[in-house]
Amino acid sequence: MVDLMALVGDASDNIPGVRGIGQVSAVKLLNEFGTLENIYKKIDKVPSGSMKTKLEDSKDMAEMSFELARLRKNVPVKLDLKKTEVTAPDLDRLVELYGEFEFNKLLREIMPKEKESSRYLVKEDAKALKEFFSAISDKKEVSFSVDADSGSGEVFGVAFSLKEGEAFYVPVNAKGQTLKENLRLVKDLLEDDSIKKKGHDLKDDVLLLKAGGIDIKGLDFDVMIADYLIDPSLTRHDLPEMAMRHIGCNLSEDKDGVKWDDAGQGSLDLSGGPRHEGACERADFIFRLYGILEPQLKEKHLSALFKDVEMPLVGVLADMEAEGVGVNIKYLKERSSDIEKKLHSLTKKIYKSAGEEFNINSPKQLQVILYEKLGLPAMKKTKTGVSTDESVLRKLTSYHELPASLLEYREVNKLKTGYYDSILELVNKKNHKLHANFNQAVTATGRLSSSEPNLQNIPIKTELGREIRRAFIPSEKGDLLLAADYSQVELRILAHLSNDKRLLKAFAEGEDVHRYTASQIYDCDIDKVTDEMRSVAKTVNFGIAYGMSPFGLAKDLDISVEDAHKFIGAYFRRYSDVSTFIDDTISSVRKKGYVTTLLKRRRYIPEINSKNERIKSFAERVAVNTPVQGSAADLIKLAMIECHKRFTGTDVKMTIQVHDELVFEVPKNKLKDTASEVRKIMENVISLKVPLVVDVKAGENWLDMKEVA
């Protein structure tokens, strides 16, 4: 094994090996010569001339690799067996460490479980039920948890809590039979707008109950969203994790067959067990978390953002998901078939360039082809060998034709599997609509994300990527899709936040801000700006807004770092107030530890005081970008809420949100009026020092659209 590693190397342990010799070749050599030492003693008998040259050129490396791979047996190890005895763990320290490193499965194993299950009761008696619902009506607030099968969506009951440590379960479905009176009482309560409802991930509850004919009103407090606002940098806001972090208690795993996986997702085991206890425990914990999180929102000045933006958005997103968007299934199938043919053609081209057939999707086989057979330079090493990632393949395109074909294959294959085929799989077979998930508590900046599929990441730089949008169509015949997109919103927010005179002037006068910036950094009249100069200025404009470094700009523009420095320097000389804003923002974050958006959304950036220069630089870019991108997120959310208010109950439906764009389904005869109203709402939803501008387009699909005046 030592001889083998000396020849092949091991990137994870920084053992270089002999360049150009892989495992197959090394095994053949060792089978023939026995050891590394013997290979070099009988080097003249190595059958392959090229292999002999590789061995001779790398003899020093091979010998060093042998020493690195060899286990040392003469290390002076003194072992005190007494110290190896197993002792009781320091549970307090373990809780602290498991929490810090997010070892949630291990943490759940040592956290105490709630012991007051005797106070979790089922309310089945009609008289007791009415008294209980009367008590809720008097108190005017309640926390609740829906008990449902996550697969079918079938609702079994709802648990309610009015007091810490106490909760009651109301069954609405027993052995497939609807308990009509119970269901009526639950429906009346949940649809009573005067009773404030507390929950966790209320959007999912809304969608579950909507399918059963219950339209929840009075959504007041979502503990998941509150937790997200208080610290958006946390990766998880599920109930088990929140219970551990805030209450110091482990959510039970087996009371009603609820099993939590490592990601904190719950699934129901319907094989038995008292279902009510798990649902009651969740309702109880939601009640407790409300008491903990609500004061924290006030303390951090987040109450207005929570109440006026995030909570109203819950209902907006639920309606969008329930509505869905129409999908042209025939088009998707045709395009998927065309792409399959393209992939077949690319595969043949790749095999020809490589000189043999191999598994294109196998990094290990690709390593052999690129670095052993073709002898291309190793740009980057990983634990599994020499890297074959996208950045490496791009660098290798100047050495051989194969990397370019591989890049194209990967892009096309990703589009086919990730979008064309994925959308076909996800589309509702009954109504031919796609009901994507819009996630409210994921991104650190406050932007919405989406999944199943990820609409935010539909590629738009390539024709094949853009064509995915053609699959999205109105669900009703005679309707059109209307897309309203904020124009250069992040640059407008940057102008507002920095109060830069030149930027404010450019936007106030309706200038093409990229052309204007080009005239500034190239020091020429605006009518002398070429398209190439404008393109550079556009990259610089958005790069500054995203806190881009000279290295990042150099990479994006394919120029030297020195030239990138010059562009950024020229930009800041012209837009000096932007430079001051960036410096002041970074300085403020160093002192306070967080940055805020226009609506006081917070993002904590402790890494900004790191001694590691790379980590600190990244944190500084985040500090600059967050007020801009986060404020844009606030803005589009406000616009969604106002548009939802205006069009609820009409035949205009909001169906998609992507970055700074909203998509609606609109009857043809209402197109102009709707376009005018949407533009008016979006451009006036907040007051900035510069005008907001919204571009509105419409068409029979999301790609082929024309501007609407």
Side-chain angles (χ1 to χ4, degrees), residues 450-471:
S450 58
S451 53
E452 296 186 336
N454 185 350
L455 297 172
Q456 317 287 333
N457 272 7
I458 292 178
I460 57 172
K461 291 185 178 179
T462 64
E463 184 62 29
L464 198 59
R466 284 192 294 273
E467 284 178 352
I468 295 168
R469 289 192 169 208
R470 193 171 280 130

Short mmCIF file of all heavy atoms in Angstrom, two decimals, residues 450-471:
data_model
loop_
_atom_site.label_atom_id
_atom_site.label_comp_id
_atom_site.label_asym_id
_atom_site.label_seq_id
_atom_site.Cartn_x
_atom_site.Cartn_y
_atom_site.Cartn_z
N SER A 450 -37.05 30.08 -3.78
CA SER A 450 -38.10 29.17 -4.22
C SER A 450 -37.51 27.79 -4.43
O SER A 450 -36.31 27.63 -4.66
CB SER A 450 -38.78 29.67 -5.50
OG SER A 450 -37.85 29.83 -6.54
N SER A 451 -38.35 26.78 -4.35
CA SER A 451 -37.91 25.40 -4.54
C SER A 451 -39.02 24.61 -5.22
O SER A 451 -40.18 25.00 -5.21
CB SER A 451 -37.55 24.76 -3.19
OG SER A 451 -38.60 24.90 -2.26
N GLU A 452 -38.60 23.51 -5.81
CA GLU A 452 -39.52 22.60 -6.53
C GLU A 452 -40.37 23.30 -7.58
O GLU A 452 -41.60 23.24 -7.51
CB GLU A 452 -40.42 21.85 -5.52
CG GLU A 452 -39.65 20.95 -4.59
CD GLU A 452 -40.56 20.11 -3.71
OE1 GLU A 452 -41.72 20.52 -3.46
OE2 GLU A 452 -40.13 19.05 -3.29
N PRO A 453 -39.73 23.93 -8.60
CA PRO A 453 -38.29 24.09 -8.82
C PRO A 453 -37.81 25.43 -8.29
O PRO A 453 -38.61 26.25 -7.83
CB PRO A 453 -38.20 24.05 -10.35
CG PRO A 453 -39.45 24.77 -10.78
CD PRO A 453 -40.51 24.37 -9.78
N ASN A 454 -36.49 25.65 -8.42
CA ASN A 454 -35.91 26.94 -8.01
C ASN A 454 -36.10 27.94 -9.15
O ASN A 454 -35.30 28.01 -10.08
CB ASN A 454 -34.43 26.77 -7.70
CG ASN A 454 -33.82 28.05 -7.16
OD1 ASN A 454 -34.43 29.12 -7.19
ND2 ASN A 454 -32.60 27.95 -6.68
N LEU A 455 -37.17 28.72 -9.07
CA LEU A 455 -37.47 29.69 -10.12
C LEU A 455 -36.47 30.83 -10.13
O LEU A 455 -36.26 31.49 -11.16
CB LEU A 455 -38.88 30.24 -9.93
CG LEU A 455 -40.02 29.22 -10.04
CD1 LEU A 455 -41.34 29.86 -9.63
CD2 LEU A 455 -40.12 28.68 -11.45
N GLN A 456 -35.83 31.10 -8.98
CA GLN A 456 -34.88 32.21 -8.89
C GLN A 456 -33.63 31.94 -9.72
O GLN A 456 -32.92 32.87 -10.09
CB GLN A 456 -34.46 32.44 -7.43
CG GLN A 456 -35.58 32.37 -6.41
CD GLN A 456 -36.49 33.57 -6.44
OE1 GLN A 456 -36.08 34.64 -6.83
NE2 GLN A 456 -37.74 33.40 -6.05
N ASN A 457 -33.34 30.68 -9.98
CA ASN A 457 -32.07 30.33 -10.65
C ASN A 457 -32.25 29.89 -12.10
O ASN A 457 -31.35 29.28 -12.66
CB ASN A 457 -31.36 29.21 -9.88
CG ASN A 457 -30.47 29.77 -8.80
OD1 ASN A 457 -30.48 30.96 -8.55
ND2 ASN A 457 -29.71 28.91 -8.15
N ILE A 458 -33.40 30.19 -12.71
CA ILE A 458 -33.55 29.86 -14.12
C ILE A 458 -32.51 30.66 -14.91
O ILE A 458 -32.48 31.88 -14.82
CB ILE A 458 -34.96 30.19 -14.63
CG1 ILE A 458 -35.99 29.26 -13.98
CG2 ILE A 458 -35.04 30.06 -16.15
CD1 ILE A 458 -37.42 29.54 -14.40
N PRO A 459 -31.63 29.99 -15.65
CA PRO A 459 -30.56 30.71 -16.36
C PRO A 459 -31.14 31.64 -17.43
O PRO A 459 -32.08 31.30 -18.12
CB PRO A 459 -29.75 29.59 -17.01
CG PRO A 459 -30.19 28.34 -16.33
CD PRO A 459 -31.59 28.56 -15.89
N ILE A 460 -30.56 32.83 -17.54
CA ILE A 460 -31.04 33.78 -18.56
C ILE A 460 -29.92 34.23 -19.48
O ILE A 460 -30.14 34.99 -20.42
CB ILE A 460 -31.70 35.01 -17.91
CG1 ILE A 460 -30.73 35.71 -16.96
CG2 ILE A 460 -32.97 34.62 -17.20
CD1 ILE A 460 -31.22 37.03 -16.43
N LYS A 461 -28.68 33.76 -19.23
CA LYS A 461 -27.55 34.21 -20.05
C LYS A 461 -27.42 33.43 -21.35
O LYS A 461 -26.77 33.89 -22.29
CB LYS A 461 -26.25 34.11 -19.24
CG LYS A 461 -26.18 35.12 -18.09
CD LYS A 461 -24.83 35.07 -17.38
CE LYS A 461 -24.77 36.12 -16.28
NZ LYS A 461 -23.47 36.08 -15.56
N THR A 462 -28.01 32.23 -21.41
CA THR A 462 -27.94 31.44 -22.63
C THR A 462 -29.34 31.29 -23.23
O THR A 462 -30.34 31.33 -22.52
CB THR A 462 -27.37 30.04 -22.35
OG1 THR A 462 -28.28 29.33 -21.48
CG2 THR A 462 -26.01 30.13 -21.68
N GLU A 463 -29.38 31.09 -24.52
CA GLU A 463 -30.67 30.95 -25.22
C GLU A 463 -31.42 29.73 -24.70
O GLU A 463 -32.63 29.78 -24.47
CB GLU A 463 -30.42 30.81 -26.72
CG GLU A 463 -31.69 30.75 -27.56
CD GLU A 463 -32.56 32.01 -27.45
OE1 GLU A 463 -32.00 33.09 -27.23
OE2 GLU A 463 -33.78 31.88 -27.57
N LEU A 464 -30.69 28.63 -24.50
CA LEU A 464 -31.32 27.40 -24.02
C LEU A 464 -31.91 27.59 -22.63
O LEU A 464 -32.98 27.06 -22.31
CB LEU A 464 -30.28 26.27 -24.00
CG LEU A 464 -30.81 24.83 -23.95
CD1 LEU A 464 -31.70 24.54 -25.14
CD2 LEU A 464 -29.65 23.85 -23.89
N GLY A 465 -31.22 28.39 -21.79
CA GLY A 465 -31.73 28.67 -20.46
C GLY A 465 -32.96 29.56 -20.50
O GLY A 465 -33.96 29.31 -19.82
N ARG A 466 -32.88 30.61 -21.31
CA ARG A 466 -34.01 31.54 -21.42
C ARG A 466 -35.27 30.85 -21.93
O ARG A 466 -36.38 31.20 -21.54
CB ARG A 466 -33.65 32.71 -22.36
CG ARG A 466 -32.72 33.73 -21.74
CD ARG A 466 -32.64 34.98 -22.60
NE ARG A 466 -32.02 34.72 -23.89
CZ ARG A 466 -30.71 34.75 -24.12
NH1 ARG A 466 -29.88 35.05 -23.14
NH2 ARG A 466 -30.22 34.51 -25.32
N GLU A 467 -35.09 29.86 -22.78
CA GLU A 467 -36.24 29.19 -23.39
C GLU A 467 -37.11 28.44 -22.37
O GLU A 467 -38.25 28.11 -22.66
CB GLU A 467 -35.76 28.22 -24.48
CG GLU A 467 -35.34 28.93 -25.76
CD GLU A 467 -34.82 27.97 -26.81
OE1 GLU A 467 -34.63 26.77 -26.48
OE2 GLU A 467 -34.58 28.40 -27.94
N ILE A 468 -36.57 28.19 -21.17
CA ILE A 468 -37.37 27.55 -20.13
C ILE A 468 -38.59 28.41 -19.82
O ILE A 468 -39.69 27.91 -19.56
CB ILE A 468 -36.53 27.33 -18.85
CG1 ILE A 468 -35.40 26.33 -19.13
CG2 ILE A 468 -37.40 26.83 -17.70
CD1 ILE A 468 -34.35 26.26 -18.05
N ARG A 469 -38.41 29.73 -19.86
CA ARG A 469 -39.51 30.64 -19.53
C ARG A 469 -40.69 30.49 -20.50
O ARG A 469 -41.82 30.82 -20.15
CB ARG A 469 -39.02 32.10 -19.54
CG ARG A 469 -38.10 32.43 -18.36
CD ARG A 469 -37.88 33.92 -18.24
NE ARG A 469 -37.23 34.27 -16.97
CZ ARG A 469 -37.37 35.43 -16.36
NH1 ARG A 469 -38.13 36.38 -16.91
NH2 ARG A 469 -36.76 35.68 -15.21
N ARG A 470 -40.41 30.01 -21.70
CA ARG A 470 -41.49 29.85 -22.68
C ARG A 470 -42.50 28.79 -22.23
O ARG A 470 -43.64 28.76 -22.70
CB ARG A 470 -40.90 29.48 -24.04
CG ARG A 470 -41.88 29.59 -25.19
CD ARG A 470 -41.22 29.44 -26.55
NE ARG A 470 -40.59 30.68 -26.97
CZ ARG A 470 -39.34 30.78 -27.42
NH1 ARG A 470 -38.57 29.70 -27.48
NH2 ARG A 470 -38.85 31.94 -27.79
N ALA A 471 -42.08 27.93 -21.31
CA ALA A 471 -42.98 26.86 -20.82
C ALA A 471 -44.05 27.39 -19.88
O ALA A 471 -45.06 26.73 -19.66
CB ALA A 471 -42.16 25.79 -20.10
#
